[in-house]
Amino acid sequence: MFGYIASMKAKPGKRDEVVALLVGGVENLRQHGCESYVVATSATDDDTIWVTEVWRSEEDHAASLELPETRKAIGEAMPLLTGEFTGQATSIAGGLGV
Amino acid sequence: MFGYIASMKAKPGKRDEVVALLVGGVENLRQHGCESYVVATSATDDDTIWVTEVWRSEEDHAASLELPETRKAIGEAMPLLTGEFTGQATSIAGGLGV
């Protein structure tokens, strides 16, 4: 399984709006090979959002970014973000809930 | 819900041994308030391990570190690690699988 750990920074006051966009489309992802998609806010600053994802495969993750609903959500979120992103691809070894 | 995103670096050749220690005790965590505990290896280097966790509360997470089985696993893993850690506490907003 493929994992992805991402962070993004919202413009001041826009964090919760971005979180709502990210959480909103999540049920749709299951049928596209997503096993887990956790949206969280930083406990140490007011603007950073973390998304931790588990996918059946790297290809499923890549394909999900091209879905019309994903592209729409990205388009809506981008103006609310500063442009500061981090991303780390992983290979899932195991655990609880995967 | 409380989240934690951690990374640690294994000494050369020791990564899989650390992963086995981390994955080994995971079923026990559920009864202590752990909702998800995903162990993954970096896709971009040979030594980094990522652990992404979801807990019922921050107190449950803190208490889990004092469990005898957790302390035993930490004691076994520490000599296999370089001492380079990162950690980010989060507040879970929602998603798939939480």
Side-chain angles (χ1 to χ4, degrees), chain B residues 9-73:
Chain B
K9 206 162 172 180
K11 291 177 181 169
K14 299 299 186 185
R15 185 192 72 186
D16 292 351
E17 209 174 322
V18 176
V19 165
L21 284 167
L22 291 167
V23 171
V26 94
E27 276 306 321
N28 179 56
L29 297 180
R30 195 191 299 269
Q31 63 186 301
H32 293 287
C34 187
E35 307 280 341
S36 175
Y37 189 96
V38 178
V39 181
T41 56
S42 172
T44 46
D45 78 72
D46 290 338
D47 301 315
T48 305
I49 299 159
W50 290 87
V51 183
T52 54
E53 311 173 34
V54 178
W55 293 82
R56 200 167 43 194
S57 72
E58 184 166 4
E59 291 68 31
D60 285 312
H61 176 250
S64 76
L65 298 174
E66 302 302 324
L67 295 170
E69 47 274 41
T70 307
R71 294 173 66 98
K72 180 167 178 287

Side-chain angles (χ1 to χ4, degrees), chain A residues 75-86:
Chain A
E76 289 171 359
M78 285 303 277
L80 308 173
L81 299 171
T82 64
E84 292 158 274
F85 297 96
T86 69

Side-chain angles (χ1 to χ4, degrees), chain A residues 40-45 50, chain B residues 2-6 58 61 87-92:
Chain A
T41 56
S42 172
T44 47
D45 78 72
W50 289 87
Chain B
F2 174 78
Y4 201 74
I5 300 168
E58 184 166 4
H61 176 250
Q88 174 66 54
T90 67
S91 174
I92 305 299

Side-chain angles (χ1 to χ4, degrees), chain A residues 1-4 53-58 61 89-92, chain B residues 43:
Chain A
M1 281 186 293
F2 174 78
Y4 201 74
E53 310 173 35
V54 178
W55 293 83
R56 200 167 43 194
S57 71
E58 185 167 4
H61 176 249
T90 67
S91 174
I92 305 297

Side-chain angles (χ1 to χ4, degrees), chain A residues 56-72:
Chain A
R56 200 167 43 194
S57 71
E58 185 167 4
E59 292 67 30
D60 285 312
H61 176 249
S64 76
L65 299 174
E66 302 303 325
L67 295 170
E69 47 274 41
T70 306
R71 294 174 66 97
K72 181 168 177 288

